[in-house]
Amino acid sequence: MNAAPGVVAVTLVTLATLLIGTWGLRFSRTTSDFFVASRSVHPRLNASAIGGEYLSAASFLGVAGLVLTFGADMLWYPVGWTAGYLVLLVLVAAPLRRSGAYTLPDFAEARLGSRGARAVCSLMVVAIGWLYLVPQFQGAGITLRSTLGAPSWVGPVTVGLVVLANVSSGGMRSITFVQAFQYWLKLTALLLPAMVLLAVWSADGSPRAVGGDSWSVPLAAGGGEGLYVTYSLILATFLGTMGLPHVVVRYYTNPDGRAARRTTLVVLALLGVFYLLPPLYGALGRVYAPELAASGRSDALVLELPRIMVDGPLGELLTGLVTAGAFAAFLSTSSGLSIAVAGVVGQDVIGRVGSRLGGVAAFRVGAVFAVTVPCVVALAAPNLGVARAVGLAFAMAASTFCPLLLLGIWWRRLTAAGAIAGLLAGGLGSAVAIAWTLATSEPEGWADTLMGQPAAWTVPLALATMVAVSLLTASRVPPGAGRFLVRLHTPETLELDRG
Amino acid sequence: MSDAGSPPERVRVSGPPRRRTPGARTSDIDAGTRLGGMYLGSLLREQLRLALGVLTLLTLLVGALPLAFHLWPGLAGVHLLGVPLPWWLLGVLVYPTLLALGWAYVRRAERNERDFAELMSEVER
C-alpha cells in the first residue's frame, strides 16, 4: 500500500491548520478574543466555521460506513444532525444570543442565579465534550491506520498534539478562520472524488448491488423494536444539537439575535449540501466494497473506496484528498470541543481553586486537561463505531441541556432546584445507558434496545423532573427571571430595561 | 455672510434625535406592571406558536416517515429513476425541505419582532 498520498495529505492539512491558526494569533490577545472572537465575526464566515466544526469524523467517515452496513435507516443520522439545527433555530437561536452569556454554564447562572446550577452544567459540558471527543480520536486512529499503516495510537496522539497547539495559541478567533477553511476543504474532499467515482460507476455500466430489500427501508430492523430505535435516534439528534458545547459557544460570536437566526439558516444550507455525499459513498461501497461491511471496517469505507475503484496515480490522488478531509474533520471538531471544555475547566475549575493564573493561562491549562483525558480514553476504550458513539453524546446532550434551554428560555417558572434535578436525572439516565451499552457485546431483548438508544426515555424523564421540581419549589423562582425573559425575546432595537 | 474681520457666526448643527423617548408601552414592561407582562406574554406566545407550528410541520413531513414505512413496507420498493424512494426522500429531498422551513420561520419571526417593536413605540395619547 502506498502511504505517500496519506502522509502528504495529513502533513498539508496540519500545516495549513497551524499556519492559519497562527495568523489568527495576531488578532487575539485578550480573553474575550480567545473565547468569543470579540463578537465581530461576519455571519457567512461564522456559518462556514460552524459547519466546519460540526462536521466531525462521524459525518465524514461514520455515515458512509453505516449506510454500507445497515442501509437506509442510517440516513437518520445525517438528517437528524441537520434537523437539529432547524430545531435550534426555531426554539433557541435568537434568545440564546440575546442572553449574552458565553457558555451553557453562564446561561444557567444568568437565568437561575445559582452557583449550584452552574457547577452541574460545567460537569455536563465536560462529560458531553469528552464523550464526543473520544470517537474523534478513535476515528483519527482508524484513518492513519488505513492510509499509512500506522499503529492505532499514532492517530489520536497526532490529532491531540495539533489540537492542543492550535487551541492554546489562538483561541476562538483563529479557530474561526481555520474552521471555515476546513468546511470547504471537507466539502471539496468528498465532492471531487464522488464525481470521479460516479463517472467510473457509470462507465462500468451502472452495476447494481445484489442483496436484500431491507437495505432500502429507512427503518431499523425488528418491527416494534426497530421503530423504537429509529424514533429514539431521531429524538436524540433533533434535540441534542442545541446542547452541544461547541455549538452553543459559536452563537455568542454573532452581533445580535437576528444575525444569529440568519447564520443558522446558512448553516442549514451548508450541512444539507455536505450530507448529500456520504450516502453516495455508502451506496457505491455496496457495489464495489461489500467485504468492508463484513470485516467490521466500514468506518474506513470513504478512505478505501477511491483506491478500490480507481487505479494508478488518480486513485492515489483521490485517496490523499479524502484523507485530508478526514483529518480536517477530526481536527476541526476536536478543536471546537476542546475549546468549549477548556473554557469551562479554565473558568469554573481553575478559577475557583484560587490559583494565581489569569484568564488566558487558565484556559491553556484547561486545554491540556481537556485534550489529554479523551486521548488516553480513546487509546484504551473499545471502538463502538464512530457515528454510534457520537449518537450517544447527542443523547446525553438531548437529555440534559435541551430541557434546560427549552424551559429556561420559554418558561418563567423554572427554578434552580428544578434545573439541577432535571440535569442530574437526564445525565445519570444517559450515563447509565451508555455504560450498559459499552458493557453489552451482543444486544438482544428490549432492555438492551432501550439502553442502546436511550433518548426516548431520558429526555422525557429530564423534562418531567425539571418541571415537577420547579413547581414544587415555586417559591424560589429567581427574582430576575421576568427581566431576563424580556432580554431574551425582545428585539435589541427596542429601548427596554434589560436588567 | 458675515463681514470680514468679525468672528463667524456660531451655527448649531444637529441631526435627527437619536434616542426615542420611550413610549408609554415600553415603560409598562420596564415597570413590570401587569399590562407590561401581558405585552411580553403576547410576544412570547406568538413566537412560541410560530416555533411549534414549524416543529409540527417538521414532524409531519419528516418525523412521520419511519411510521409510514412501518405501516406500508411496500413504499420502500417504489423506484424513481432506478433509485428507491427512501433514498430520494431521506437522502436528497429532506434537505431543501429543512431549509424551506427554516427560511419561512426566519421571515415570520422577524416580522413578529417588527410588529412588536412598532406596537411598543407607539406613544399613548
Side-chain angles (χ1 to χ4, degrees), chain A residues 76 78-79 82 90 98 208 215-216 218 231 258 261-262 265 275-276 483 486 489 497, chain B residues 30 40 43-44 51 62-63 66-67 69 82 84 86-87 90-91 95 102-103 105 110 113:
Chain A
W76 286 110
V79 169
T82 314
V90 156
R98 289 175 181 144
R208 301 250 162 223
W215 194 69
S216 281
Y231 273 112
R258 246 177 108 243
R261 282 194 197 114
R262 283 160 176 244
L265 206 54
Y275 281 131
L276 293 173
R483 185 90 35 221
V486 169
H489 292 280
D497 175 12
Chain B
D30 284 345
L40 188 66
L43 175 68
L44 247 88
V62 180
L67 196 60
F69 281 95
W87 297 97
L90 282 184
Y95 298 111
W103 185 72
Y105 167 80
E110 288 185 356
E113 286 185 349

mmCIF file of all heavy atoms in Angstrom, chain A residues 76 78-79 82 90 98 208 215-216 218 231 258 261-262 265 275-276 483 486 489 497, chain B residues 30 40 43-44 51 62-63 66-67 69 82 84 86-87 90-91 95 102-103 105 110 113:
data_model
loop_
_atom_site.group_PDB
_atom_site.id
_atom_site.type_symbol
_atom_site.label_atom_id
_atom_site.label_comp_id
_atom_site.label_asym_id
_atom_site.label_seq_id
_atom_site.Cartn_x
_atom_site.Cartn_y
_atom_site.Cartn_z
ATOM 1 N N TRP A 76 -30.932 8.490 8.999
ATOM 2 C CA TRP A 76 -31.456 9.326 10.070
ATOM 3 C C TRP A 76 -30.358 10.042 10.835
ATOM 4 O O TRP A 76 -30.602 11.068 11.460
ATOM 5 C CB TRP A 76 -32.343 8.520 11.020
ATOM 6 C CG TRP A 76 -33.647 8.206 10.396
ATOM 7 C CD1 TRP A 76 -34.094 7.000 9.978
ATOM 8 C CD2 TRP A 76 -34.683 9.144 10.092
ATOM 9 N NE1 TRP A 76 -35.342 7.117 9.426
ATOM 10 C CE2 TRP A 76 -35.733 8.419 9.486
ATOM 11 C CE3 TRP A 76 -34.826 10.531 10.267
ATOM 12 C CZ2 TRP A 76 -36.894 9.024 9.051
ATOM 13 C CZ3 TRP A 76 -35.997 11.137 9.844
ATOM 14 C CH2 TRP A 76 -37.020 10.378 9.239
ATOM 15 N N PRO A 78 -27.465 11.659 9.493
ATOM 16 C CA PRO A 78 -27.247 12.985 8.904
ATOM 17 C C PRO A 78 -28.499 13.848 8.882
ATOM 18 O O PRO A 78 -28.423 15.061 9.093
ATOM 19 C CB PRO A 78 -26.742 12.684 7.489
ATOM 20 C CG PRO A 78 -27.115 11.278 7.210
ATOM 21 C CD PRO A 78 -27.167 10.583 8.518
ATOM 22 N N VAL A 79 -29.672 13.234 8.638
ATOM 23 C CA VAL A 79 -30.909 14.024 8.648
ATOM 24 C C VAL A 79 -31.114 14.632 10.033
ATOM 25 O O VAL A 79 -31.440 15.813 10.173
ATOM 26 C CB VAL A 79 -32.116 13.152 8.246
ATOM 27 C CG1 VAL A 79 -33.411 13.895 8.507
ATOM 28 C CG2 VAL A 79 -32.028 12.766 6.789
ATOM 29 N N THR A 82 -28.796 17.522 10.826
ATOM 30 C CA THR A 82 -29.181 18.773 10.174
ATOM 31 C C THR A 82 -30.463 19.329 10.780
ATOM 32 O O THR A 82 -30.566 20.531 11.056
ATOM 33 C CB THR A 82 -29.398 18.536 8.665
ATOM 34 O OG1 THR A 82 -28.325 17.766 8.150
ATOM 35 C CG2 THR A 82 -29.474 19.846 7.929
ATOM 36 N N VAL A 90 -35.381 27.432 15.609
ATOM 37 C CA VAL A 90 -36.752 27.771 15.914
ATOM 38 C C VAL A 90 -36.964 28.041 17.401
ATOM 39 O O VAL A 90 -37.749 28.901 17.795
ATOM 40 C CB VAL A 90 -37.628 26.600 15.402
ATOM 41 C CG1 VAL A 90 -38.912 26.531 16.103
ATOM 42 C CG2 VAL A 90 -37.808 26.728 13.920
ATOM 43 N N ARG A 98 -29.166 36.499 22.691
ATOM 44 C CA ARG A 98 -29.501 37.692 23.469
ATOM 45 C C ARG A 98 -29.221 37.532 24.939
ATOM 46 O O ARG A 98 -29.135 38.526 25.657
ATOM 47 C CB ARG A 98 -30.971 38.049 23.271
ATOM 48 C CG ARG A 98 -31.226 38.577 21.891
ATOM 49 C CD ARG A 98 -32.687 38.815 21.683
ATOM 50 N NE ARG A 98 -32.924 39.306 20.339
ATOM 51 C CZ ARG A 98 -33.977 38.985 19.620
ATOM 52 N NH1 ARG A 98 -34.891 38.179 20.114
ATOM 53 N NH2 ARG A 98 -34.122 39.476 18.403
ATOM 54 N N ARG A 208 -25.587 -2.751 -10.308
ATOM 55 C CA ARG A 208 -26.391 -2.674 -9.090
ATOM 56 C C ARG A 208 -25.895 -3.691 -8.102
ATOM 57 O O ARG A 208 -25.392 -4.729 -8.485
ATOM 58 C CB ARG A 208 -27.849 -3.003 -9.415
ATOM 59 C CG ARG A 208 -28.420 -2.104 -10.417
ATOM 60 C CD ARG A 208 -29.438 -1.193 -9.805
ATOM 61 N NE ARG A 208 -29.614 -0.082 -10.726
ATOM 62 C CZ ARG A 208 -29.695 1.173 -10.346
ATOM 63 N NH1 ARG A 208 -29.654 1.447 -9.083
ATOM 64 N NH2 ARG A 208 -29.842 2.108 -11.230
ATOM 65 N N TRP A 215 -32.287 -3.282 2.898
ATOM 66 C CA TRP A 215 -31.252 -2.254 2.858
ATOM 67 C C TRP A 215 -31.843 -0.889 2.520
ATOM 68 O O TRP A 215 -31.321 0.135 2.912
ATOM 69 C CB TRP A 215 -30.201 -2.653 1.809
ATOM 70 C CG TRP A 215 -28.947 -1.877 1.900
ATOM 71 C CD1 TRP A 215 -28.026 -1.940 2.898
ATOM 72 C CD2 TRP A 215 -28.473 -0.923 0.965
ATOM 73 N NE1 TRP A 215 -26.988 -1.075 2.639
ATOM 74 C CE2 TRP A 215 -27.232 -0.444 1.448
ATOM 75 C CE3 TRP A 215 -28.948 -0.417 -0.245
ATOM 76 C CZ2 TRP A 215 -26.478 0.510 0.777
ATOM 77 C CZ3 TRP A 215 -28.205 0.535 -0.922
ATOM 78 C CH2 TRP A 215 -26.979 0.999 -0.408
ATOM 79 N N SER A 216 -32.959 -0.886 1.777
ATOM 80 C CA SER A 216 -33.549 0.383 1.374
ATOM 81 C C SER A 216 -34.666 0.860 2.281
ATOM 82 O O SER A 216 -35.295 1.856 2.001
ATOM 83 C CB SER A 216 -34.098 0.264 -0.053
ATOM 84 O OG SER A 216 -33.057 0.368 -0.971
ATOM 85 N N PRO A 218 -36.003 2.731 5.372
ATOM 86 C CA PRO A 218 -35.444 3.715 6.320
ATOM 87 C C PRO A 218 -35.938 3.498 7.731
ATOM 88 O O PRO A 218 -36.406 4.419 8.396
ATOM 89 C CB PRO A 218 -35.940 5.044 5.753
ATOM 90 C CG PRO A 218 -37.246 4.706 5.150
ATOM 91 C CD PRO A 218 -37.111 3.330 4.589
ATOM 92 N N TYR A 231 -36.962 6.053 16.220
ATOM 93 C CA TYR A 231 -37.509 7.274 16.813
ATOM 94 C C TYR A 231 -36.657 7.805 17.946
ATOM 95 O O TYR A 231 -36.549 9.017 18.143
ATOM 96 C CB TYR A 231 -38.957 7.050 17.264
ATOM 97 C CG TYR A 231 -39.916 7.319 16.135
ATOM 98 C CD1 TYR A 231 -40.642 6.293 15.551
ATOM 99 C CD2 TYR A 231 -40.049 8.603 15.631
ATOM 100 C CE1 TYR A 231 -41.483 6.547 14.488
ATOM 101 C CE2 TYR A 231 -40.898 8.864 14.568
ATOM 102 C CZ TYR A 231 -41.613 7.837 14.006
ATOM 103 O OH TYR A 231 -42.447 8.101 12.956
ATOM 104 N N ARG A 258 -30.956 38.668 15.502
ATOM 105 C CA ARG A 258 -31.353 38.488 14.110
ATOM 106 C C ARG A 258 -30.247 37.797 13.326
ATOM 107 O O ARG A 258 -30.489 36.884 12.543
ATOM 108 C CB ARG A 258 -31.634 39.850 13.471
ATOM 109 C CG ARG A 258 -33.065 40.054 13.083
ATOM 110 C CD ARG A 258 -33.264 41.433 12.539
ATOM 111 N NE ARG A 258 -33.473 41.413 11.108
ATOM 112 C CZ ARG A 258 -32.677 41.971 10.207
ATOM 113 N NH1 ARG A 258 -31.602 42.600 10.586
ATOM 114 N NH2 ARG A 258 -32.950 41.903 8.925
ATOM 115 N N ARG A 261 -30.074 34.099 13.949
ATOM 116 C CA ARG A 261 -31.017 33.284 13.180
ATOM 117 C C ARG A 261 -30.530 33.098 11.756
ATOM 118 O O ARG A 261 -30.603 32.001 11.189
ATOM 119 C CB ARG A 261 -32.368 33.985 13.107
ATOM 120 C CG ARG A 261 -33.186 33.882 14.338
ATOM 121 C CD ARG A 261 -34.599 34.294 14.028
ATOM 122 N NE ARG A 261 -35.307 34.597 15.244
ATOM 123 C CZ ARG A 261 -35.741 35.792 15.583
ATOM 124 N NH1 ARG A 261 -35.545 36.815 14.789
ATOM 125 N NH2 ARG A 261 -36.377 35.962 16.713
ATOM 126 N N ARG A 262 -30.079 34.189 11.141
ATOM 127 C CA ARG A 262 -29.683 34.089 9.740
ATOM 128 C C ARG A 262 -28.464 33.216 9.554
ATOM 129 O O ARG A 262 -28.368 32.468 8.581
ATOM 130 C CB ARG A 262 -29.432 35.484 9.178
ATOM 131 C CG ARG A 262 -30.743 36.128 8.916
ATOM 132 C CD ARG A 262 -30.740 37.606 8.811
ATOM 133 N NE ARG A 262 -32.093 38.013 8.462
ATOM 134 C CZ ARG A 262 -32.397 38.606 7.313
ATOM 135 N NH1 ARG A 262 -31.462 38.885 6.450
ATOM 136 N NH2 ARG A 262 -33.634 38.938 7.061
ATOM 137 N N LEU A 265 -29.523 29.703 9.445
ATOM 138 C CA LEU A 265 -30.112 29.341 8.159
ATOM 139 C C LEU A 265 -29.028 28.951 7.160
ATOM 140 O O LEU A 265 -29.149 27.951 6.442
ATOM 141 C CB LEU A 265 -30.910 30.537 7.648
ATOM 142 C CG LEU A 265 -32.057 30.264 6.695
ATOM 143 C CD1 LEU A 265 -33.006 29.261 7.288
ATOM 144 C CD2 LEU A 265 -32.785 31.564 6.416
ATOM 145 N N TYR A 275 -24.224 16.730 3.341
ATOM 146 C CA TYR A 275 -24.768 15.414 3.669
ATOM 147 C C TYR A 275 -25.373 14.680 2.480
ATOM 148 O O TYR A 275 -25.802 13.534 2.614
ATOM 149 C CB TYR A 275 -25.802 15.516 4.787
ATOM 150 C CG TYR A 275 -25.185 15.651 6.156
ATOM 151 C CD1 TYR A 275 -25.601 16.632 7.033
ATOM 152 C CD2 TYR A 275 -24.191 14.783 6.584
ATOM 153 C CE1 TYR A 275 -25.041 16.764 8.287
ATOM 154 C CE2 TYR A 275 -23.623 14.901 7.840
ATOM 155 C CZ TYR A 275 -24.056 15.894 8.687
ATOM 156 O OH TYR A 275 -23.501 16.013 9.928
ATOM 157 N N LEU A 276 -25.411 15.329 1.309
ATOM 158 C CA LEU A 276 -25.811 14.600 0.109
ATOM 159 C C LEU A 276 -24.779 13.542 -0.247
ATOM 160 O O LEU A 276 -25.100 12.555 -0.909
ATOM 161 C CB LEU A 276 -25.970 15.570 -1.066
ATOM 162 C CG LEU A 276 -27.114 16.579 -0.991
ATOM 163 C CD1 LEU A 276 -27.007 17.562 -2.137
ATOM 164 C CD2 LEU A 276 -28.448 15.855 -1.037
ATOM 165 N N ARG A 483 -37.340 39.812 34.033
ATOM 166 C CA ARG A 483 -36.482 40.773 33.337
ATOM 167 C C ARG A 483 -35.586 40.043 32.341
ATOM 168 O O ARG A 483 -35.332 40.519 31.231
ATOM 169 C CB ARG A 483 -35.623 41.507 34.380
ATOM 170 C CG ARG A 483 -34.786 42.590 33.842
ATOM 171 C CD ARG A 483 -35.423 43.964 33.807
ATOM 172 N NE ARG A 483 -36.309 44.284 34.876
ATOM 173 C CZ ARG A 483 -37.457 44.931 34.707
ATOM 174 N NH1 ARG A 483 -37.823 45.301 33.517
ATOM 175 N NH2 ARG A 483 -38.230 45.216 35.725
ATOM 176 N N VAL A 486 -37.432 39.207 29.223
ATOM 177 C CA VAL A 486 -37.553 40.388 28.369
ATOM 178 C C VAL A 486 -36.343 40.466 27.458
ATOM 179 O O VAL A 486 -36.428 40.676 26.253
ATOM 180 C CB VAL A 486 -37.645 41.671 29.216
ATOM 181 C CG1 VAL A 486 -37.498 42.906 28.343
ATOM 182 C CG2 VAL A 486 -38.957 41.720 29.966
ATOM 183 N N HIS A 489 -36.237 37.751 24.577
ATOM 184 C CA HIS A 489 -37.215 37.683 23.494
ATOM 185 C C HIS A 489 -37.448 38.972 22.749
ATOM 186 O O HIS A 489 -37.977 38.951 21.640
ATOM 187 C CB HIS A 489 -38.555 37.180 24.053
ATOM 188 C CG HIS A 489 -38.473 35.757 24.485
ATOM 189 N ND1 HIS A 489 -38.557 34.710 23.608
ATOM 190 C CD2 HIS A 489 -38.287 35.210 25.701
ATOM 191 C CE1 HIS A 489 -38.438 33.578 24.258
ATOM 192 N NE2 HIS A 489 -38.272 33.843 25.530
ATOM 193 N N ASP A 497 -35.523 48.138 29.650
ATOM 194 C CA ASP A 497 -34.636 47.842 30.756
ATOM 195 C C ASP A 497 -34.390 46.338 30.781
ATOM 196 O O ASP A 497 -35.276 45.558 31.107
ATOM 197 C CB ASP A 497 -35.303 48.299 32.063
ATOM 198 C CG ASP A 497 -34.461 47.909 33.262
ATOM 199 O OD1 ASP A 497 -33.287 47.505 33.084
ATOM 200 O OD2 ASP A 497 -34.982 48.002 34.377
ATOM 201 N N ASP B 30 -41.001 47.863 31.443
ATOM 202 C CA ASP B 30 -39.918 48.157 32.379
ATOM 203 C C ASP B 30 -40.399 48.136 33.810
ATOM 204 O O ASP B 30 -39.729 47.653 34.705
ATOM 205 C CB ASP B 30 -39.332 49.537 32.080
ATOM 206 C CG ASP B 30 -38.448 49.488 30.853
ATOM 207 O OD1 ASP B 30 -38.085 48.369 30.449
ATOM 208 O OD2 ASP B 30 -38.127 50.553 30.320
ATOM 209 N N LEU B 40 -45.436 41.423 26.966
ATOM 210 C CA LEU B 40 -44.345 40.471 26.783
ATOM 211 C C LEU B 40 -44.902 39.074 26.530
ATOM 212 O O LEU B 40 -44.433 38.345 25.653
ATOM 213 C CB LEU B 40 -43.451 40.463 28.019
ATOM 214 C CG LEU B 40 -42.183 39.640 27.839
ATOM 215 C CD1 LEU B 40 -41.299 40.277 26.794
ATOM 216 C CD2 LEU B 40 -41.431 39.500 29.141
ATOM 217 N N LEU B 43 -45.959 38.544 22.991
ATOM 218 C CA LEU B 43 -44.834 38.302 22.087
ATOM 219 C C LEU B 43 -44.344 36.863 22.216
ATOM 220 O O LEU B 43 -44.158 36.158 21.217
ATOM 221 C CB LEU B 43 -43.684 39.269 22.371
ATOM 222 C CG LEU B 43 -42.411 39.010 21.560
ATOM 223 C CD1 LEU B 43 -42.641 39.294 20.098
ATOM 224 C CD2 LEU B 43 -41.262 39.850 22.083
ATOM 225 N N LEU B 44 -44.167 36.444 23.449
ATOM 226 C CA LEU B 44 -43.693 35.084 23.695
ATOM 227 C C LEU B 44 -44.625 34.054 23.087
ATOM 228 O O LEU B 44 -44.197 33.101 22.447
ATOM 229 C CB LEU B 44 -43.577 34.819 25.201
ATOM 230 C CG LEU B 44 -42.170 34.612 25.718
ATOM 231 C CD1 LEU B 44 -41.566 35.923 26.067
ATOM 232 C CD2 LEU B 44 -42.153 33.688 26.897
ATOM 233 N N ALA B 51 -42.934 28.793 16.474
ATOM 234 C CA ALA B 51 -41.946 27.717 16.613
ATOM 235 C C ALA B 51 -42.627 26.357 16.598
ATOM 236 O O ALA B 51 -42.198 25.437 15.898
ATOM 237 C CB ALA B 51 -41.152 27.901 17.905
ATOM 238 N N VAL B 62 -41.262 15.002 8.042
ATOM 239 C CA VAL B 62 -40.053 14.199 8.182
ATOM 240 C C VAL B 62 -40.217 13.119 9.241
ATOM 241 O O VAL B 62 -39.925 11.955 9.014
ATOM 242 C CB VAL B 62 -38.848 15.109 8.531
ATOM 243 C CG1 VAL B 62 -37.599 14.290 8.681
ATOM 244 C CG2 VAL B 62 -38.656 16.151 7.458
ATOM 245 N N GLY B 63 -40.712 13.527 10.401
ATOM 246 C CA GLY B 63 -40.792 12.593 11.517
ATOM 247 C C GLY B 63 -41.766 11.460 11.299
ATOM 248 O O GLY B 63 -41.668 10.411 11.939
ATOM 249 N N PRO B 66 -40.633 7.221 9.351
ATOM 250 C CA PRO B 66 -40.448 5.844 9.829
ATOM 251 C C PRO B 66 -41.768 5.123 10.040
ATOM 252 O O PRO B 66 -41.920 3.952 9.669
ATOM 253 C CB PRO B 66 -39.704 6.017 11.158
ATOM 254 C CG PRO B 66 -39.061 7.336 11.076
ATOM 255 C CD PRO B 66 -39.964 8.191 10.254
ATOM 256 N N LEU B 67 -42.742 5.836 10.599
ATOM 257 C CA LEU B 67 -44.051 5.227 10.814
ATOM 258 C C LEU B 67 -44.679 4.827 9.494
ATOM 259 O O LEU B 67 -45.249 3.734 9.353
ATOM 260 C CB LEU B 67 -44.952 6.218 11.558
ATOM 261 C CG LEU B 67 -46.203 5.628 12.192
ATOM 262 C CD1 LEU B 67 -45.811 4.566 13.208
ATOM 263 C CD2 LEU B 67 -47.028 6.710 12.869
ATOM 264 N N PHE B 69 -43.220 4.058 6.689
ATOM 265 C CA PHE B 69 -42.582 2.876 6.109
ATOM 266 C C PHE B 69 -42.852 1.623 6.921
ATOM 267 O O PHE B 69 -42.761 0.503 6.414
ATOM 268 C CB PHE B 69 -41.074 3.102 5.955
ATOM 269 C CG PHE B 69 -40.739 3.926 4.746
ATOM 270 C CD1 PHE B 69 -40.570 5.295 4.840
ATOM 271 C CD2 PHE B 69 -40.634 3.325 3.506
ATOM 272 C CE1 PHE B 69 -40.287 6.043 3.720
ATOM 273 C CE2 PHE B 69 -40.354 4.076 2.383
ATOM 274 C CZ PHE B 69 -40.181 5.438 2.486
ATOM 275 N N GLY B 82 -34.712 4.577 -11.145
ATOM 276 C CA GLY B 82 -33.845 3.492 -10.712
ATOM 277 C C GLY B 82 -33.414 3.543 -9.264
ATOM 278 O O GLY B 82 -32.794 2.611 -8.764
ATOM 279 N N PRO B 84 -34.470 3.747 -5.244
ATOM 280 C CA PRO B 84 -35.641 3.539 -4.391
ATOM 281 C C PRO B 84 -36.066 4.828 -3.696
ATOM 282 O O PRO B 84 -35.246 5.703 -3.387
ATOM 283 C CB PRO B 84 -35.172 2.499 -3.368
ATOM 284 C CG PRO B 84 -33.964 1.872 -3.966
ATOM 285 C CD PRO B 84 -33.338 2.889 -4.845
ATOM 286 N N PRO B 86 -37.006 5.712 -0.598
ATOM 287 C CA PRO B 86 -36.418 6.195 0.659
ATOM 288 C C PRO B 86 -35.138 7.001 0.445
ATOM 289 O O PRO B 86 -34.892 7.974 1.160
ATOM 290 C CB PRO B 86 -36.117 4.920 1.443
ATOM 291 C CG PRO B 86 -36.996 3.896 0.857
ATOM 292 C CD PRO B 86 -37.206 4.267 -0.561
ATOM 293 N N TRP B 87 -34.331 6.612 -0.510
ATOM 294 C CA TRP B 87 -33.096 7.331 -0.761
ATOM 295 C C TRP B 87 -33.384 8.728 -1.276
ATOM 296 O O TRP B 87 -32.703 9.693 -0.920
ATOM 297 C CB TRP B 87 -32.214 6.566 -1.749
ATOM 298 C CG TRP B 87 -31.805 5.251 -1.197
ATOM 299 C CD1 TRP B 87 -32.385 4.040 -1.436
ATOM 300 C CD2 TRP B 87 -30.756 5.002 -0.263
ATOM 301 N NE1 TRP B 87 -31.776 3.058 -0.717
ATOM 302 C CE2 TRP B 87 -30.757 3.625 0.015
ATOM 303 C CE3 TRP B 87 -29.810 5.810 0.357
ATOM 304 C CZ2 TRP B 87 -29.859 3.031 0.874
ATOM 305 C CZ3 TRP B 87 -28.895 5.231 1.224
ATOM 306 C CH2 TRP B 87 -28.939 3.858 1.472
ATOM 307 N N LEU B 90 -35.017 10.674 2.068
ATOM 308 C CA LEU B 90 -34.119 10.955 3.176
ATOM 309 C C LEU B 90 -32.719 11.352 2.751
ATOM 310 O O LEU B 90 -31.969 11.926 3.534
ATOM 311 C CB LEU B 90 -34.011 9.720 4.086
ATOM 312 C CG LEU B 90 -35.169 9.501 5.022
ATOM 313 C CD1 LEU B 90 -34.890 8.316 5.914
ATOM 314 C CD2 LEU B 90 -35.400 10.728 5.877
ATOM 315 N N GLY B 91 -32.369 11.035 1.509
ATOM 316 C CA GLY B 91 -31.018 11.367 1.096
ATOM 317 C C GLY B 91 -30.922 12.692 0.368
ATOM 318 O O GLY B 91 -29.873 13.316 0.339
ATOM 319 N N TYR B 95 -33.351 17.789 2.707
ATOM 320 C CA TYR B 95 -32.527 18.972 2.994
ATOM 321 C C TYR B 95 -33.130 20.264 2.484
ATOM 322 O O TYR B 95 -33.187 21.246 3.223
ATOM 323 C CB TYR B 95 -31.096 18.743 2.486
ATOM 324 C CG TYR B 95 -30.437 17.586 3.193
ATOM 325 C CD1 TYR B 95 -30.152 16.398 2.529
ATOM 326 C CD2 TYR B 95 -30.140 17.647 4.553
ATOM 327 C CE1 TYR B 95 -29.583 15.332 3.184
ATOM 328 C CE2 TYR B 95 -29.584 16.587 5.211
ATOM 329 C CZ TYR B 95 -29.312 15.420 4.530
ATOM 330 O OH TYR B 95 -28.757 14.362 5.186
ATOM 331 N N GLY B 102 -36.875 26.510 7.609
ATOM 332 C CA GLY B 102 -36.072 27.481 8.338
ATOM 333 C C GLY B 102 -36.260 28.878 7.794
ATOM 334 O O GLY B 102 -36.395 29.851 8.546
ATOM 335 N N TRP B 103 -36.282 28.983 6.503
ATOM 336 C CA TRP B 103 -36.413 30.293 5.865
ATOM 337 C C TRP B 103 -37.763 30.906 6.173
ATOM 338 O O TRP B 103 -37.877 32.080 6.517
ATOM 339 C CB TRP B 103 -36.206 30.122 4.365
ATOM 340 C CG TRP B 103 -36.189 31.395 3.620
ATOM 341 C CD1 TRP B 103 -35.218 32.337 3.606
ATOM 342 C CD2 TRP B 103 -37.210 31.869 2.742
ATOM 343 N NE1 TRP B 103 -35.564 33.374 2.780
ATOM 344 C CE2 TRP B 103 -36.771 33.111 2.233
ATOM 345 C CE3 TRP B 103 -38.442 31.364 2.323
ATOM 346 C CZ2 TRP B 103 -37.533 33.850 1.332
ATOM 347 C CZ3 TRP B 103 -39.190 32.114 1.422
ATOM 348 C CH2 TRP B 103 -38.733 33.350 0.941
ATOM 349 N N TYR B 105 -39.541 30.293 8.752
ATOM 350 C CA TYR B 105 -39.523 30.676 10.158
ATOM 351 C C TYR B 105 -38.838 32.022 10.371
ATOM 352 O O TYR B 105 -39.357 32.887 11.082
ATOM 353 C CB TYR B 105 -38.821 29.607 11.006
ATOM 354 C CG TYR B 105 -38.522 30.114 12.377
ATOM 355 C CD1 TYR B 105 -39.512 30.146 13.353
ATOM 356 C CD2 TYR B 105 -37.266 30.628 12.683
ATOM 357 C CE1 TYR B 105 -39.259 30.671 14.594
ATOM 358 C CE2 TYR B 105 -37.004 31.155 13.926
ATOM 359 C CZ TYR B 105 -38.005 31.179 14.883
ATOM 360 O OH TYR B 105 -37.748 31.710 16.108
ATOM 361 N N GLU B 110 -39.012 37.436 12.281
ATOM 362 C CA GLU B 110 -38.571 38.831 12.183
ATOM 363 C C GLU B 110 -39.776 39.743 12.058
ATOM 364 O O GLU B 110 -39.791 40.847 12.612
ATOM 365 C CB GLU B 110 -37.626 38.995 10.994
ATOM 366 C CG GLU B 110 -36.274 38.369 11.253
ATOM 367 C CD GLU B 110 -35.281 38.611 10.141
ATOM 368 O OE1 GLU B 110 -35.648 39.212 9.108
ATOM 369 O OE2 GLU B 110 -34.127 38.196 10.321
ATOM 370 N N GLU B 113 -41.268 40.288 15.436
ATOM 371 C CA GLU B 113 -40.499 41.234 16.233
ATOM 372 C C GLU B 113 -40.711 42.660 15.757
ATOM 373 O O GLU B 113 -40.790 43.586 16.565
ATOM 374 C CB GLU B 113 -39.011 40.866 16.175
ATOM 375 C CG GLU B 113 -38.705 39.640 16.998
ATOM 376 C CD GLU B 113 -37.235 39.321 17.051
ATOM 377 O OE1 GLU B 113 -36.451 39.924 16.293
ATOM 378 O OE2 GLU B 113 -36.874 38.458 17.862
#
